[in-house]
């Protein structure tokens, strides 16, 4: 993607969805952290179904600890890797209570030190909860960034670095949400809906298919 195409690319996405939001359901920073932790290799729909029950019983680290690993495992068993995620969530809650007074830290190093919380999860929390212009690179963002030519990279870290270099400051706060939603509903993995794509003209692959057609 040419540099001069980046501004209209994001302006078009922003015009269609000025205030993009995560599709995970949460009512607090802790619930956001827990939901994102549970979302690895799972759909937001599936995570929301499980967390509605979980959060009704335990909406703080202390309440999760009171439930214990076995009960948390039972409550989230519809999510992929539920046993590992239950252990990670409970251990994360132990650390939040012991080291952070039960609050979710806003420092990247402290977030990434939590079990089951990698760079992507930390970026989501920093962006959504604390308003930092981070780039959380999931499979959708990775695909869209590469396919469009916006921020090519061989790994999520490379794509994240490229996005931070190329995305204009005015679009950075919401950029990863626009890219996630675009990848989820338009720029699909197996059958991208190029004909319905509002930013096709600026996309490297979309532009090439237009020329071929």
């Amino acid at each position: 993607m040419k540099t001069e195409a980046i501004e209209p690319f994001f302006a078009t996405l922003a015009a269609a969805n000025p205030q993009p939001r995560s599709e995970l359901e949460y009512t607090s920073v802790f619930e956001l952290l827990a939901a994102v932790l549970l979302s690895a290799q799972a759909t937001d729909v599936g995570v929301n179904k499980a967390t509605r029950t979980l959060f009704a019983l335990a909406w703080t680290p202390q309440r999760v600890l009171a439930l214990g690993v076995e009960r948390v495992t039972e409550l989230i068993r519809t999510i992929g890797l539920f046993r590992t995620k239950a252990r990670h969530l409970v251990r994360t809650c132990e650390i939040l209570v012991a080291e952070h007074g039960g609050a979710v830290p806003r420092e990247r190093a402290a977030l990434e030190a939590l079990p089951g919380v990698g760079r992507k999860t930390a970026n989501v929390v920093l962006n959504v909860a604390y308003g930092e212009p981070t780039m959380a690179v999931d499979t959708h963002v990775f695909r869209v960034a590469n396919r469009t030519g916006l921020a090519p990279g061989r790994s999520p870290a490379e794509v994240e670095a490229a996005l931070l270099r190329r995305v204009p400051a005015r679009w950075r706060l919401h950029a990863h949400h626009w890219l996630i939603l675009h990848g989820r509903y338009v720029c699909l993995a197996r059958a991208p809906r190029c004909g319905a794509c509002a930013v096709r003209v600026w996309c490297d692959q979309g532009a090439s298919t237009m020329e071929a057609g």
Side-chain angles (χ1 to χ4, degrees), residues 14 20 24 32 38 43 46 60 64 78 81 95 107-108 110 148 154 164 173 176 178 188 190 192 197 202 208:
L24 291 171
L32 171 65
L38 296 175
T43 66
T60 66
V64 170
T78 56
L81 306 175
I95 295 172
E107 297 78 25
R108 177 183 295 283
T148 62
R154 293 167 295 180
L164 289 171
L173 181 62
H176 92 269
W178 284 316
L188 309 180
R190 295 186 178 180
C197 179
W202 299 292
S208 67

Side-chain angles (χ1 to χ4, degrees), residues 83-97:
R83 291 186 178 86
T84 299
K85 290 176 180 179
R87 291 195 300 270
H88 283 165
L89 179 57
V90 171
R91 178 59 184 142
T92 284
C93 290
E94 291 173 349
I95 295 172
L96 291 178
V97 171

Side-chain angles (χ1 to χ4, degrees), residues 55-78:
F55 293 158
L57 298 174
W59 56 91
T60 66
Q62 294 87 344
R63 287 180 175 269
V64 170
L65 292 178
L67 288 179
V69 174
E70 289 188 10
R71 182 65 172 134
V72 172
T73 300
E74 179 184 337
L75 290 168
I76 67 168
R77 65 182 302 110
T78 56

Side-chain angles (χ1 to χ4, degrees), residues 47-172:
V47 172
N48 289 338
K49 182 178 179 180
T51 56
R52 284 177 200 134
T53 302
L54 174 64
F55 293 158
L57 298 174
W59 56 91
T60 66
Q62 294 87 344
R63 287 180 175 269
V64 170
L65 292 178
L67 288 179
V69 174
E70 289 188 10
R71 182 65 172 134
V72 172
T73 300
E74 179 184 337
L75 290 168
I76 67 168
R77 65 182 302 110
T78 56
I79 302 175
L81 306 175
F82 63 94
R83 291 186 178 86
T84 299
K85 290 176 180 179
R87 291 195 300 270
H88 283 165
L89 179 57
V90 171
R91 178 59 184 142
T92 284
C93 290
E94 291 173 349
I95 295 172
L96 291 178
V97 171
E99 300 181 14
H100 303 286
V104 176
R106 63 182 305 163
E107 297 78 25
R108 177 183 295 283
L111 284 168
E112 292 186 17
L114 299 171
V117 177
R119 188 172 182 86
K120 185 198 79 172
T121 298
N123 277 336
V124 172
V125 173
L126 290 171
N127 178 271
V128 176
Y130 297 127
E132 295 190 19
T134 56
M135 299 290 175
V137 180
D138 69 352
T139 56
H140 298 298
V141 174
F142 186 83
R143 178 175 66 256
V144 173
N146 275 284
R147 184 179 279 166
T148 62
L150 170 64
R154 293 167 295 180
S155 68
E158 288 185 5
V159 169
E160 179 184 344
L163 286 170
L164 289 171
R165 286 195 308 270
R166 299 204 77 199
V167 177
R170 65 183 296 211
W171 305 121
R172 284 180 199 154

